[in-house]
Amino acid sequence: MLAHGMVHTYELSIPIFVAIWLREYAIIDLGLSAIPVTAASLGVMTGLGFALFGLGALPGGILVDRVGSKRLIVGCLAGMSGSFFLLAAAPNLVVVALALVLWGAAASVYHPAGLRLISTGVEERGTGFAYHGIAGNLGIGFGPFLTALLLLFFDWHVVAGVLAIPALAAAVFATRADFEEQAAVAAADGSGGSGDDKSSTGVSSFSEFVTESKALFAGGFALVFAVVMFSGLYYRGVTTFLPDLIGNVIGIEPIPIAALLPASLLPGSAAAAPTLEVELYVYAGLLTIGVLGQYVGGKLTDRIRTERGIVVGFAALAVVALAFLPVASLGIVPLLAICALLGFFLFMVQPFYQATVAEYTPAGLRGLSYGFTYLGVFGVGALGGAIAGFVLTVATPTTLFFVLAGFAAVASLLGVTLLRKRPAPA
């Protein structure tokens, strides 16, 4: 839970720093050449880190089946902390880019390691996914909120250094934690977690990786992987540009900071940003509502078939996408209501597909399966932001939400297919 919260705190704080880097830097000095600082160049620079965040999940999944979850989670926390300490000390954007690449590489191993640990170490798997997801949403919602507040009073270098401390403390705590990673597997089969199946070895060669991957995708996991890809496309597509849509299309006006705080409390960054961007806080609130969605979704996975939860959850996201702009245009209260529904269902579906992965894969290849899962969610899913940007460039926000509804509808239909293919429990 600590690690999951940290991962998403850093993930969602980076875009806030980007706005500051656009103001403070004019060029990216590469030595032999210099690149002007624009939204496009910074987008490529930060995109390197985000790309590794998704692409590294697959090798992370392979590695976790070999060395276990605890070692990778400790390494993830230490790596993320180190990357933000480097960010705090960065004298130029080249070092900033290096810090973001290191963050992406460190963060990428978390999801396969953390989800494998829950799936093999926790008997009440759905509840475990629920609490795990809640921690992630606290990072998603409160991390950017805390970052924005700190930037009102401190330089961004200082804020980056402050953000590095919690992950370092969590890494120290994790090294001292004592638990049995195979407790749920041992309880289920009475083996004590010491059997000679894949639960203790994972894949040990490239040929074995190919063989086991083919075995995974030959079954129902292929449909589950398709579900998580469309989930990722919807997630990145809606979250990447939603703050801009709330601020510009719907028309929430920024509030002068001077109207909220005495002049003596407005040093540093606040002087360069004299207005409070309300849409960022509405956005943070939307993400925080996801805590409730994660909890409800996780609890339901222990009570209903996970495929049914996928069908209902993504159908609800399709409806919310179609209704978002018409409802939001009615006023502030309808806007907040539809944002709350979006935040709730956007994260309610996550425990369902996380638990479904566990049900369609063997325990010994759980790390590999979650590596593929988050390659789909964050790797393939990263295209959702590019698709959304293209749609907004050539068409309208209404068109974008129709596209998002299409992503959710396809995921729901895939859930229907899974529901029909898998026999009901006796």
Side-chain angles (χ1 to χ4, degrees):
M1 289 175 66
L2 286 171
H4 196 203
M6 291 293 96
V7 166
H8 291 296
T9 291
Y10 297 133
E11 176 197 4
L12 274 298
S13 69
I14 290 171
I16 295 177
F17 288 129
V18 168
I20 298 175
W21 297 333
L22 276 168
R23 294 195 303 264
E24 292 194 1
Y25 293 97
I27 62 169
I28 303 175
D29 188 356
L30 300 178
L32 297 177
S33 63
I35 301 174
V37 171
T38 64
S41 60
L42 284 187
V44 171
M45 185 187 80
T46 56
L48 295 173
F50 283 127
L52 279 179
F53 182 36
L55 297 176
L58 182 54
I62 296 171
L63 189 59
V64 72
D65 284 328
R66 298 291 300 169
V67 304
S69 295
K70 181 177 177 178
R71 292 179 182 177
L72 284 192
I73 292 175
V74 171
C76 167
L77 288 166
M80 291 193 301
S81 177
S83 68
F84 264 64
F85 276 124
L86 178 60
L87 186 64
N92 54 54
L93 287 180
V94 173
V95 180
V96 167
L98 176 60
L100 296 182
V101 166
L102 292 175
W103 172 81
S108 68
V109 303
Y110 174 71
H111 284 94
L115 294 174
R116 177 189 185 272
L117 181 59
I118 293 173
S119 69
T120 61
V122 179
E123 292 183 41
E124 295 185 15
R125 185 182 295 153
T127 300
F129 282 133
Y131 285 119
H132 176 263
I134 287 171
N137 275 92
L138 289 174
I140 286 171
F142 293 138
F145 180 77
L146 175 63
T147 302
L149 286 181
L150 288 173
L151 285 168
L152 294 177
F153 306 102
F154 303 105
D155 178 76
W156 71 266
H157 292 87
V158 176
V159 175
V162 170
L163 290 176
I165 296 173
L168 180 60
V172 173
F173 170 77
T175 60
R176 300 173 63 87
D178 184 23
F179 49 83
E180 173 54 58
E181 294 193 21
Q182 298 291 323
V185 176
D189 61 19
S191 67
S194 59
D196 59 358
D197 66 2
K198 289 290 181 185
S199 64
S200 61
T201 61
V203 295
S204 58
S205 66
F206 179 74
S207 61
E208 191 175 358
F209 163 71
V210 173
T211 300
E212 298 297 351
S213 297
K214 287 181 178 179
L216 280 178
F217 282 92
F221 180 72
L223 288 174
V224 179
F225 183 74
V227 169
V228 301
M229 283 197 304
F230 281 102
S231 178
L233 290 170
Y234 188 106
Y235 175 83
R236 283 295 181 210
V238 74
T239 57
T240 300
F241 293 99
L242 190 57
D244 182 66
L245 290 171
I246 293 173
N248 296 327
V249 176
I250 299 170
I252 293 182
E253 295 295 329
I255 299 175
I257 293 177
L260 303 175
L261 296 174
S264 60
L265 296 180
L266 297 173
S269 298
T275 59
L276 201 65
E277 304 298 330
V278 180
E279 65 271 16
L280 296 180
Y281 296 92
V282 173
Y283 181 59
L286 176 155
L287 297 174
T288 305
I289 289 291
V291 170
L292 179 60
Q294 287 273 10
Y295 181 80
V296 171
K299 283 294 186 181
L300 286 176
T301 62
D302 287 329
R303 291 166 172 79
I304 66 173
R305 293 183 62 178
T306 58
E307 298 93 338
R308 185 170 286 114
I310 287 173
V311 172
V312 174
F314 282 104
L317 283 175
V319 172
V320 169
L322 294 175
F324 191 89
L325 289 178
V327 172
S329 64
L330 297 177
I332 187 64
V333 174
L335 166 64
L336 295 177
I338 196 68
C339 282
L341 287 174
L342 176 60
F344 179 86
F345 287 109
L346 186 63
F347 293 97
M348 189 195 81
V349 298
Q350 292 186 5
F352 283 112
Y353 69 65
Q354 289 166 353
T356 302
V357 169
E359 293 178 5
Y360 281 79
T361 58
L365 295 176
R366 205 57 57 71
L368 177 63
S369 63
Y370 281 121
F372 275 117
T373 296
Y374 282 89
L375 174 65
V377 173
F378 292 126
V380 178
L383 295 174
I387 292 171
F390 175 77
V391 171
L392 288 173
T393 300
V394 302
T396 65
T398 299
T399 305
L400 171 60
F401 280 96
F402 270 103
V403 172
L404 295 174
F407 291 154
V410 172
S412 183
L413 290 174
L414 289 168
V416 171
T417 303
L418 282 169
L419 193 61
R420 290 178 176 176
K421 281 181 171 290
R422 184 181 175 202

